[in-house]
Amino acid sequence: MNKKLKTILGIGAVLFLVVASVVYVKFFSSNTKFSKEELFVEIPTGSNYEDVKKIISPYVNGLSGFELMANLRSYDDNVKPGRFLLTKGMGNFAIVASLRRNVPVKLAFNNQERLENLCVRISSQIEPDTTKLLATFRDPKFLEENQFTKDNVIAMFIPNSYEFYWNTSAEKFRDKMLKEYKKFWTLERLTKAKRLGLTPVQVITLASIVHKETVKKSERPVVAKVYLNRLEQGMLLQADPTVIYAVKSRDNDFDQVIKRVLYADLTISSPYNTYVNLGLPPGPIAMPDIDAIDAVLSPDDNDYIYFCASVEKFGYHEFASTYAQHQVNAKKYADWLNSTGTNR
């Protein structure tokens, strides 16, 4: 009996090892076939199990083991949309586990000139496409309820880094941005804007001009004050960046590079041309960064009403309180442009 028992136990042990080996191979040994250390797969909203298999098939050696594990862990009946991380060498157990963990996207955007450009940037990072995003941001009911227009709604987007799930809907993304916008406009900022006689959207619109005029943070409060002085005195802003925006809009080409504003440009018929239209343009000409917004809210104390690019300190500007002094500065800059052959 002892001999038979030992034989049975031995056979059982062998069978256990065989089964354990098969289980290990099927469930835990590597089933990936990509060379990168890690990659993300995106499962669109509304996908079913068959869709998932098509999506991951290029990245696994065989689907049979994956299917067995998916069935055992009831994944085939509980597919979730999102963005999921696969790492090199993962087994089927780990793959199925990973497909349950939606990994957030660290979404970032800045320096966008139009809502269209912003939507392209956003759609490259989360699921909703450009058309859906545009329609959501321009929804008439949303605009009316939140006192935006289709021309100035881009002011709602405060440049920063945000965390979203890849499958966030356009509506949820928009509502989150509105919440962040309201959070940005603290009582302190609102008080400063009111003191200037500007609404938050008007502050951002002016900040977009300041942002385009100079990248130098130390100059932004000075430039902001120049434009505030002009507004206070009822003068035309005569901001070249608004003319450049008008030209790009007219040509429907926001990729063109314009280094020099021509006299002919100054008469272009556009609500964004501040050489012919008094006051601020109908909306931001770009997405200003927070530094430019705060420069408008906390401007320098000066009486300047003119400025132009400096030819002695490149990247900075020469400021003037009188037109005569401005003419001197402007001629230096025009002569320098001519000497470099910059015609556009």
Side-chain angles (χ1 to χ4, degrees), residues 167-180:
N167 55 306
T168 299
S169 69
E171 291 78 8
K172 287 186 177 180
F173 176 79
R174 179 197 65 192
D175 294 345
K176 170 68 173 176
M177 288 294 94
L178 178 62
K179 183 178 179 180
E180 291 294 328

Side-chain angles (χ1 to χ4, degrees), residues 103-285:
V103 181
V105 175
K106 292 190 181 301
L107 188 149
F109 50 81
N110 60 1
N111 299 333
Q112 305 302 309
E113 291 183 297
R114 299 181 302 164
L115 187 62
E116 291 87 342
N117 300 99
L118 174 62
C119 289
V120 170
R121 178 70 179 272
I122 294 169
S123 67
S124 70
Q125 299 176 77
I126 60 176
E127 184 178 17
D129 63 23
T130 302
T131 302
K132 179 63 175 176
L133 289 165
L134 268 175
T136 303
F137 301 150
R138 287 176 172 168
D139 175 61
K141 183 180 179 182
F142 171 81
L143 294 176
E144 183 179 359
E145 288 178 348
N146 295 284
Q147 299 180 318
F148 291 119
T149 69
K150 62 183 180 63
D151 294 316
N152 67 29
V153 68
I154 194 173
M156 180 180 74
F157 300 90
I158 306 299
N160 214 327
S161 293
Y162 302 95
E163 195 170 88
F164 285 93
Y165 286 112
W166 175 80
N167 55 306
T168 299
S169 69
E171 291 78 8
K172 287 186 177 180
F173 176 79
R174 179 197 65 192
D175 294 345
K176 170 68 173 176
M177 288 294 94
L178 178 62
K179 183 178 179 180
E180 291 294 328
Y181 171 79
K182 291 179 177 179
K183 185 191 300 183
F184 174 81
W185 282 99
T186 60
L187 179 59
E188 180 183 4
R189 286 192 171 107
L190 287 171
T191 301
K192 288 181 177 180
K194 186 176 181 179
R195 192 178 299 135
L196 294 171
L198 301 175
T199 67
V201 169
Q202 288 174 326
V203 168
I204 291 177
T205 299
L206 180 53
S208 71
I209 299 174
V210 173
H211 178 102
K212 283 290 188 178
E213 287 284 14
T214 180
V215 298
K216 305 298 183 183
K217 292 185 177 182
S218 61
E219 267 201 347
R220 284 179 169 173
V222 185
V223 172
K225 181 58 174 173
V226 171
Y227 286 126
L228 289 168
N229 289 341
R230 282 179 165 265
L231 286 173
E232 185 178 348
Q233 295 180 37
M235 297 176 65
L236 291 166
L237 290 185
Q238 296 183 322
D240 285 0
T242 66
V243 177
I244 292 172
Y245 185 92
V247 171
K248 289 181 176 182
S249 182
R250 178 197 64 191
D251 298 343
N252 194 29
D253 179 8
F254 278 79
D255 293 325
Q256 63 178 304
V257 177
I258 299 175
K259 294 183 177 179
R260 184 172 191 174
V261 173
L262 307 178
Y263 284 114
D265 298 330
L266 303 183
T267 60
I268 186 173
S269 178
S270 168
Y272 288 91
N273 183 357
T274 57
Y275 274 81
V276 297
N277 298 296
L278 195 63
L280 293 164
I285 59 169

